Amino acid sequence: MNRKKKINQTLKNKAKKANAKLQTSNKPKYIAKADREALPLGVLPESLPCDSIA
């Protein structure tokens, strides 16, 4: 690979990564299955003591 091609490839890859970071996602944040089951009850696992989870 000649020098110009390698430099251009490096710069393209850097620009591509920088552009990818700027893109935002409309995807909703993942909620674990246990958390989804607790949501209708209005109780999140973080608020429960460790003894009641087991």
Side-chain angles (χ1 to χ4, degrees):
M1 197 181 301
N2 64 21
R3 192 179 315 152
K4 275 188 184 180
K5 185 176 179 182
K6 190 163 189 163
I7 291 170
N8 284 334
Q9 184 182 17
T10 305
L11 292 175
K12 275 186 190 177
N13 286 339
K14 268 192 173 182
K16 190 175 181 180
K17 284 182 184 179
N19 193 30
K21 279 190 173 184
L22 295 175
Q23 301 302 318
T24 57
S25 175
N26 292 331
K27 203 167 133 179
K29 189 175 178 184
Y30 176 76
I31 301 172
K33 187 175 181 180
D35 293 343
R36 287 191 302 247
E37 291 174 356
L39 281 177
L41 302 175
V43 178
L44 290 176
E46 291 84 20
S47 62
L48 294 175
C50 293
D51 299 329
S52 65
I53 293 175

